[in-house]
Amino acid sequence: MKKTAAVFLTLLLAIAGIGLPIWLAIEESERQAYKAESVRALGFASDILVRADETGRQARGGVDRLKALHADNPCSPAAIDLMREIDLGSSYLQAIGYIERNQMLCSSIAGQSRVLDLGPPDYTTSAGAAVRRQVRFPFAAQNSFIVLEFDSFAAIIHQRLIVDMANSEPDIALAVLSLEDPAPIIVRGKVKPEWLRRLGRERQVVFVDNGSVVAVVRSQRFLTAGVAAVPISYLESRSEAVARRLVPAGLVAGVMLVAAIMLLGRQQMSLPNAVKMGLRRKEFFLEYQPVVELATGRCVGVEALVRWRRPTGEVVMPDLFVAIAEDNGMIVRLTGQVLEMVAHDTRHWLAAHPDFHVGINVAPADFYAGNLLLRLQETLEAMGAAPGNLILEVTERGLMDPVVARENTANLRRHGFALAIDDFGTGYSSLSYLETLELDYLKIDRSFIEAIGTGAPTSQVVQHIIRIAKDLGLRMIAEGVESQAQADFLRKHGVQFGQGWLFGRPVSFGEVVRQMEAAELAEAALVRAAG
Ligand SMILES: Nc1nc2c(ncn2[C@@H]2O[C@H](COP(=O)(O)O[C@H]3[C@@H](O)[C@H](n4cnc5c(=O)[nH]c(N)nc54)O[C@@H]3COP(=O)(O)O)[C@@H](O)[C@H]2O)c(=O)[nH]1
């Protein structure tokens, strides 16, 4: 991936990874704030309605008691005494009086000596109550009152008593609306009568309009509704307060998420760099796996297998880094280090054992590099060994180009090196193609050895491979031999060599030598005992 693309992707990831939790936190704070302000608005609307309903109940009850007196004179001293008793006993009624032709003739108000002109009602409810919304009396000229008139008796109600709530937040609008007349009965602040339409048939409704969270609650007793409108600024400051709590949490979550993703990405992305550094610091080392002659069980050679010891001490297997080295143009350098290490590890042994061979994995890029022969000759010189001591293991992938493959295999063999086709059976080489190449060994892939005797569909393949090798005149090395039964089968079918855990796991060259010497000693002891 190009560097700019990686930077762009990282930026995108950071924006998305940090932005998303923050956006979710903001959304959640707005949702929580809206919910809280809706509950508050509904609370105010319900409270004002409770007060209005109670006022209506007290007015109706007072009038009923006065009517029950059946006084010939509704303004008799007994009637006025009863009016005063009702007035004193009710929390929402300011006074109660008697009306004729829009004039209040008498009332519970102490000292009412003259007739008070009320003017005509604003409207009359379907239940027969005449409603006057704004009546001013000489005894309290600065206040306005509601007068509810039933059957000529009137309840006088102080508006402020009903809307006397949320006084510390005067910008919260409150109202009692009639469902029969558009003008509010009682109102504090700005209330739109058309909000009632939103109620429909519902008992209550909450919505946002005109910069407010509005709640409307219908009375269960009268044709009225309580309304409260909480300015949106309350919602915003509540949302900000919640956001102040949630956004840092979202930010932390986002940063952690992005850091985790980037760390993972870096671990992945930096592997080629780590391999490069490993090559520079010479962190690679070799293990050698014995190759035995199946007929005698004698170790006739080894395969050199590369490993990587990271600075952390962790040992990484080639499956992970060989492909990275191949994909990033470092495999030729890696093979170079393998050759140096083989020369260093095996030179004394090979000088004394000219028949012993070391298998070296040659990657396709090595094969096509053009200087393989020269590098091999330098290695031999350092080892003091003959070309026949090395078996170059090339995969089918490395032999894909017929021209280069033919030329290189022929050239290497001309110079005395032995060649093996590795992991045979896993690629697409045909018998006729292999016939055109100069090879010495065929290594049968582990997957076919594993299948021997299992009855699996691939269990028969090994016999075909053995036939191909015989047809081509190639010697065979079976890879991954783990059981004696596999070894017996292979020997019986003419496979000359085996490599696998049955004979030995990959270990240091010193350990291979120690094992070979121990085997030799044991054999000598056996011979002596037999003799
Ligand atoms: N280009 C290079 N490729 C290399 C080099 N060194 C190794 N490799 C290739 O890496 C692949 C994995 O190798 P490794 O993990 O070392 O595994 C080898 C053996 O340990 C394993 N093996 C051997 N016997 C058994 C067995 O009985 N059971 C079992 N489960 N595994 C076993 O097989 C691997 C040997 O494979 P091969 O080379 O095909 O003989 C592998 O493809 C290596 O080729 C290097 O220096 N350069």
Side-chain angles (χ1 to χ4, degrees):
M1 194 190 308
K2 288 227 175 80
K3 202 171 174 183
T4 46
V7 170
F8 180 70
L9 261 179
T10 311
L11 261 175
L12 214 67
L13 170 75
I15 292 167
I18 297 176
L20 186 71
I22 292 178
W23 177 74
L24 287 175
I26 291 171
E27 282 284 301
E28 178 57 17
S29 20
E30 282 174 2
R31 200 188 62 77
Q32 281 189 21
Y34 179 71
K35 199 172 159 198
E37 289 307 319
S38 301
V39 168
R40 223 155 73 92
L42 269 174
F44 288 134
S46 302
D47 279 359
I48 196 170
L49 195 64
V50 167
R51 287 169 182 230
D53 282 1
E54 178 58 18
T55 307
R57 192 192 66 77
Q58 288 181 7
R60 189 80 243 186
V63 169
D64 286 348
R65 281 180 72 191
L66 285 167
K67 274 168 58 187
L69 198 60
H70 298 299
D72 292 338
N73 176 5
C75 286
S76 68
I80 290 178
D81 278 351
L82 182 57
M83 284 180 195
R84 287 195 177 131
E85 191 188 313
I86 294 166
D87 180 352
L88 286 171
S90 54
S91 48
Y92 286 105
L93 303 186
Q94 201 71 31
I96 192 154
Y98 178 70
I99 298 175
E100 267 184 22
R101 288 183 294 281
N102 297 329
Q103 291 188 319
M104 196 160 78
L105 303 184
C106 61
S107 72
S108 60
I109 299 164
Q112 184 189 338
S113 52
R114 59 189 178 94
V115 169
L116 300 170
D117 194 3
L118 302 178
D122 293 310
Y123 70 98
T124 301
T125 69
S126 51
V131 181
R132 291 175 181 83
R133 291 192 198 95
Q134 307 247 333
V135 179
R136 288 192 188 270
F137 291 102
F139 55 82
Q142 65 277 37
N143 295 317
S144 92
F145 295 85
I146 300 162
V147 177
L148 294 181
E149 180 187 337
F150 315 90
D151 303 325
S152 295
F153 288 101
I156 298 156
I157 300 147
H158 197 312
Q159 293 206 347
R160 210 181 294 150
L161 272 184
I162 296 177
V163 289
D164 188 23
M165 59 171 76
N167 290 329
S168 58
E169 296 160 313
D171 47 356
I172 294 178
L174 300 166
V176 178
L177 299 180
S178 165
L179 302 182
E180 301 178 285
D181 189 81
I185 304 170
I186 305 158
V187 67
R188 180 184 98 178
K190 278 195 177 157
V191 168
K192 292 184 183 174
E194 63 263 31
W195 285 344
L196 276 183
R197 282 203 293 272
R198 300 275 198 116
L199 200 51
R201 291 174 169 273
E202 299 297 317
R203 156 105 174 84
Q204 62 185 44
V205 67
V206 183
F207 52 89
V208 174
D209 184 50
N210 204 29
S212 298
V213 179
V214 181
V216 183
V217 180
R218 181 197 296 277
S219 166
Q220 301 291 76
R221 191 172 182 146
F222 303 106
L223 287 169
T224 52
V227 177
V230 178
I232 210 99
S233 56
Y234 285 92
L235 191 146
E236 285 163 358
S237 46
R238 186 187 288 272
S239 154
E240 276 166 30
V242 181
R244 269 196 293 279
R245 233 176 344 103
L246 289 185
V247 168
L251 188 72
V252 170
V255 168
M256 278 167 66
L257 181 79
V258 169
I261 295 174
M262 281 173 68
L263 199 77
L264 255 174
R266 258 172 67 121
Q267 274 178 1
Q268 292 303 317
M269 279 197 298
S270 63
L271 260 176
N273 277 337
V275 172
K276 195 166 165 190
M277 195 62 84
L279 282 167
R280 200 174 302 152
R281 295 186 186 148
K282 304 232 162 146
E283 291 169 359
F284 296 90
F285 68 98
L286 292 180
E287 284 188 330
Y288 297 83
Q289 188 174 30
V291 175
V292 305
E293 191 176 43
L294 290 175
T296 59
R298 203 166 49 88
C299 178
V300 293
V302 285
E303 178 183 359
L305 297 161
V306 69
R307 275 91 181 91
W308 178 20
R309 185 174 288 110
R310 306 280 313 259
T312 53
E314 174 201 10
V315 173
V316 185
M317 299 307 273
D319 279 336
L320 187 75
F321 61 83
V322 165
I324 291 171
E326 283 190 340
D327 294 346
N328 292 276
M330 294 181 276
I331 192 69
V332 173
R333 199 165 157 204
L334 180 64
T335 307
Q337 290 197 6
V338 168
L339 292 175
E340 279 171 24
M341 289 186 282
V342 166
H344 173 270
D345 294 342
T346 64
R347 67 170 177 264
H348 297 303
W349 180 263
L350 289 182
H353 300 83
D355 297 334
F356 197 81
H357 61 73
V358 181
I360 292 170
N361 287 283
V362 175
D366 294 311
F367 215 59
Y368 294 102
N371 62 348
L372 181 61
L373 179 64
L374 188 70
R375 291 158 70 210
L376 289 167
Q377 284 170 332
E378 281 169 5
T379 308
L380 285 178
E381 204 177 313
M383 289 161 85
N389 285 130
L390 294 188
I391 299 179
L392 308 176
E393 301 189 10
V394 192
T395 57
E396 289 179 70
R397 214 158 37 92
L399 300 172
M400 245 155 53
D401 182 328
V403 178
V404 181
R406 238 171 262 140
E407 204 177 289
N408 281 356
T409 49
N411 194 25
L412 287 165
R413 283 196 83 238
R414 214 172 24 254
H415 285 86
F417 293 97
L419 281 163
I421 180 160
D422 200 4
D423 304 336
F424 185 76
T426 57
Y428 299 97
S429 315
S430 66
L431 177 61
S432 54
Y433 174 53
L434 290 183
E435 269 172 342
T436 66
L437 301 175
E438 291 188 35
L439 299 167
D440 300 278
Y441 294 92
L442 182 150
K443 289 193 83 170
I444 309 170
D445 189 66
R446 187 168 77 230
S447 54
F448 303 114
I449 307 301
E450 261 169 20
I452 292 173
T454 60
T458 44
S459 61
Q460 304 302 315
V461 179
V462 71
Q463 298 189 46
H464 297 297
I465 295 175
I466 292 171
R467 207 167 306 127
I468 290 173
K470 283 180 179 167
D471 288 350
L472 293 171
L474 301 179
R475 280 173 285 173
M476 289 165 274
I477 305 173
E479 292 178 339
V481 182
E482 291 185 3
S483 71
Q484 192 56 52
Q486 290 167 346
D488 292 343
F489 175 95
L490 292 162
R491 195 184 55 250
K492 221 166 75 197
H493 286 80
V495 177
Q496 298 87 346
F497 305 102
Q499 175 185 344
W501 294 350
L502 178 67
F503 311 113
R505 298 214 176 206
V507 287
S508 69
F509 193 73
E511 178 58 24
V512 176
V513 169
R514 203 193 56 72
Q515 286 170 5
M516 284 189 294
E517 287 172 346
E520 259 174 45
L521 283 176
E523 202 180 310
L526 263 179
V527 172
R528 265 200 311 278

